[in-house]
Amino acid sequence: MMRELLLGFIKIHILYHAGQQPVYGLWLMEELARHGYTISPGTLYPTLHSLERAGYLTSEKRVVGGRQRRYYAITPAGETALAEARDRLAELVAEVLEERP
Ligand SMILES: [Zn+2]
């Protein structure tokens, strides 16, 4: 259950970062670890693929330093979803954190 809850947060992180600059799997794993999320490639890559299938991310292969990497960037539909997630997040934070007794 916890994993399921955190996966939503992780998806928002991914969309946010892919909106800043194109990102690749290993970079995301390190960035998410910095935020305290341990995510295995076996969870991250299917998540990236599902966001791509949903039309929120687009990807392309690039060769960097002799290594082939797949970079993910946000799409206009992803931007729209992120904007909505941000509004809901603000509303959620307001209720869950600020209305704490
Ligand atoms: Zn981050």
Side-chain angles (χ1 to χ4, degrees):
M1 187 59 208
M2 199 55 199
R3 184 174 175 277
E4 204 176 296
L5 279 176
L6 295 182
L7 204 50
F9 294 163
I10 285 170
K11 286 177 179 172
I12 294 171
H13 267 291
I14 291 172
L15 287 178
Y16 169 73
H17 285 294
Q20 303 296 108
Q21 67 200 41
V23 291
Y24 56 91
L26 183 61
W27 186 89
L28 277 171
M29 280 176 56
E30 288 170 0
E31 173 64 15
L32 288 165
R34 198 175 68 78
H35 286 291
Y37 298 92
T38 311
I39 184 169
S40 68
T43 300
L44 178 64
Y45 287 98
T47 302
L48 287 169
H49 297 156
S50 76
L51 288 168
E52 194 173 10
R53 263 199 315 278
Y56 293 170
L57 293 177
T58 182
S59 74
E60 62 168 16
K61 279 186 188 158
R62 285 192 210 165
V63 178
V64 179
R67 292 184 61 133
Q68 198 176 64
R69 282 194 171 130
R70 184 168 286 279
Y71 280 78
Y72 295 85
I74 203 164
T75 62
E79 298 268 14
T80 303
L82 179 60
E84 187 176 337
R86 194 179 267 132
D87 287 348
R88 287 175 185 240
L89 194 57
E91 201 270 341
L92 183 66
V93 165
E95 177 165 14
V96 174
L97 297 185
E98 290 160 24
E99 288 177 16
R100 250 188 320 199

